[in-house]
Structures are given as structure tokens and as C-alpha cells.
Amino acid sequence: MFIIMRYNATLEFGMKQLKKIFVFFILTCGVGATLHANPLDPTSKSEISVHDHYNLIIDFFQNKEWEKLIWQSRMLMQDFPDAPFAKEVYYYMGVAYYEITDYEMANESFSAYLKEEMTPKFFDQVIRYKFEIACHFQEGVRRHLFHVRGLPKWIHGYEEAIEIFDEVITTLPRDEMAAESLYRKATLLLALEEYKESVEAYQTLIRRFPKHPLAPDSYLGVAEVYLTWCQKEFPDGDRLELAEINLRKFRFHFPREPRLEEAEKKLLHLKDVMADDLLEMGEFYHRTKRPKAAAIYYQTILKKYPDTKAAKVSRKKLEKLGLPETFSEMENASDKVPKKADEAIIVESDEEVSAAP
């Protein structure tokens, strides 16, 4: 009986919360409708012709009366949905929404224009507007909740930005805007920790626009992705090799590029990350009184990453252990040191096998 009463109480509480949410939604939509009320204040169905509608829209466009333009456009589409002018009106609506910084609605209007018009007269202008909208979303401008204009702008528009950048890249694959879209998409994907996709976008830019001013920036971007990837997830030797290949290509295609030095620093930083990971494992075995296992890690660092800070520490550790800096009989075992510390397996003798934690 107690369980049933508690269940009923919980259900009642849930219904109250749902009711509050529903009331909030209705009130918000009502407020939104009030805020965006028709500035023309129509009280009945318009009786003017489609040409009169269109002329008013052009007048509002030239006078930059954006809210009036939006409502006049809606009236034309409502009264004459099949008129040729109705398709063109989407463009003017898009511009109006853009000018009042409602970028989500502007993008929807521009997309409707491209969909409805077989040979769009304002094609170039629309693509430029859509690119600018994507830039605004990338820079942090938010979109409406549930894509409803009357609701507040709470949601980041990063996904919309990537979709629009892809649209520009597909529509104008060799245009300047495509290069800028690829670069912006790659930087946004890096910020969203979509590392693989970010590298692909940078490399697409490099392949498609090898002499573009953004190509050197893309090589640097790839280096930054691999560095961040290893820092945020785990040090991976494969990514280090790819970063080295990226630097070699950068040096080959832009031998006099002053930013080569910056790319080299990023690669050295990545090697520091890799060496520090091995050093951590070596110090673990050192603390647990397994000097041979520790020596394998220290010697690996000296062999693979001799210019890192971890190499200096490893050299001192080997001196304290009284062990050589080279592998000698352990040389072959060094190649078996895995890339992931959590999968490390160290063979200290013929019978003893110790697994890293």
C-alpha cells in the first residue's frame, strides 16, 4: 500500500512538472508572437494583387524596413503560394532575417530559395550569405530552442555551421569560399574534439588548394591536432609518425615558410608528450624495485627521443641504477615496448613477466 501511495505521489509530481513545462512553452510562444507581431497589423485577408505585394517588398527592402518586409513576404506566400514571385521572395526574407541577426531563420529562407528556384538569380549572393551565417555560428552565435523563432536562443549552432560549410564546399569546390570553409570547419572540429575529421578537413584543403595562403596554416593545424589528440586521449606512436610525415610535406612544399619553426616546435612538444608517458612507466618500475624493467623504458627514451627533457631525466636515472644508456642485450626487447602504457608488457627474465598497470 505504501509503495502504491508513493508511486501515485511521484506520478502526480511528474504531471505537475510536465504541466509547468507545457505552460512555459505556451507562454513563451505567446510572448514570441507578441514580440514579432505584424508591423502592418493586418485585420483581414489582403485583397491586393501579387504585383502590389511584390512592389511593397521591394520598397521595404530598399528602405531597410526588415520586419515589414518579412511580414509582407509571408502575406504574399499565403495569398499567392504558386506565384513566381513567391519563390524569389525567399531571398528577400533571408536578407531581412540576416540583417536583424536571426541567422537561423535567414539560413532556412536561403535554403528554401535555392530549393524552389531552378535557376536562382541571386545564387552567388545566397552562398555568400550562407557562408557568413556559418562563420557567425562558428564564432558562438546561438540558435533558437526547438528551431522556433519565438523561443530564446540557447543552443549553439556548431552543427549548423559544419553543415553550411559542407554545403559551400560541395557547391563551389574550387572557389575561395570553399578553401575558407574547409579551414574554418577543420578548426571548429578541433575545438569539438573531432580530431580525425579535423585532420581530414585540413588535408582536403591542402590537396585541393596546394598554393593557397591557408595551406601553410593547414599544415600547422594538422600538427596542432595530433599534439592535442595525444594530450587529451593517450600518446600514440602512430600519430607521432603521421605528425613527422606532415612536417616533411610542409618543409617540401614550403621550404622558405617562416612558420616551419613553429611546426617543428609542435613536433618536439609531441615527442615530449610521448617521452613523458614512457618516463612515467619507467619511474613506476623504478619505485617498485624492478630496475631492469625501468631501464628498458629509460633506454627507449634515450634512443627514440634524445632531445626531450625526459631523456635528461632518464640518463640520470640510469646512472643511479648503474646501467648503460644503450640496450646491449636488451636491444631487441626495446622494440616490443608498446605504444599504450596500459598495455605494456615487460620481460625481465626468461621466467618473469610483469604487466604494467
Side-chain angles (χ1 to χ4, degrees), residues 64 177 248:
K64 299 182 179 181
M177 276 190 291
R248 287 198 297 271

Side-chain angles (χ1 to χ4, degrees), residues 82-222:
D82 299 324
F85 289 130
K87 299 177 181 179
E88 189 173 309
V89 161
Y90 281 115
Y91 167 73
Y92 294 110
M93 285 182 64
V95 175
Y97 279 125
Y98 183 89
E99 293 295 335
I100 62 175
T101 69
D102 195 336
Y103 300 119
E104 181 182 4
M105 298 300 296
N107 183 53
E108 290 181 6
S109 298
F110 288 134
S111 295
Y113 172 74
L114 294 176
K115 181 180 179 180
E116 294 293 334
E117 285 281 13
M118 297 300 295
T119 56
K121 179 170 61 174
F122 303 107
F123 177 81
D124 292 338
Q125 295 93 318
V126 167
I127 297 300
R128 169 56 65 178
Y129 271 118
K130 289 176 78 69
F131 172 75
E132 295 295 338
I133 290 169
C135 293
H136 286 300
F137 281 139
Q138 181 202 9
E139 293 163 3
V141 172
R142 304 192 179 205
R143 64 171 178 81
H144 295 289
L145 192 65
F146 303 124
H147 299 281
V148 177
R149 190 187 178 203
L151 295 180
K153 297 179 181 179
W154 287 351
I155 310 300
H156 282 294
Y158 298 142
E159 292 183 4
E160 284 77 6
I162 293 173
E163 289 177 2
I164 298 172
F165 285 140
D166 284 336
E167 185 178 352
V168 175
I169 294 163
T170 303
T171 306
L172 301 172
R174 298 293 174 181
D175 191 84
E176 174 72 19
M177 276 190 291
E180 295 181 25
S181 295
L182 281 165
Y183 186 78
R184 283 181 169 270
K185 175 186 174 182
T187 57
L188 178 55
L189 288 168
L190 172 57
L192 296 174
E193 299 184 357
E194 299 288 342
Y195 303 116
K196 182 180 178 181
E197 292 79 4
S198 178
V199 170
E200 290 174 355
Y202 279 128
Q203 291 178 340
T204 300
L205 192 157
I206 293 169
R207 288 193 304 270
R208 196 176 294 180
F209 305 93
K211 301 300 181 182
H212 194 278
L214 287 174
D217 293 302
S218 297
Y219 280 112
L220 281 174
V222 171

Side-chain angles (χ1 to χ4, degrees), residues 4 36 53 99 141 172 196 206 263 285 317 319 342:
I4 295 174
H36 301 284
H53 274 301
E99 293 295 335
V141 172
L172 301 172
K196 182 180 178 181
I206 293 169
Y285 284 109
K317 298 282 187 181
E319 288 176 1
D342 58 344

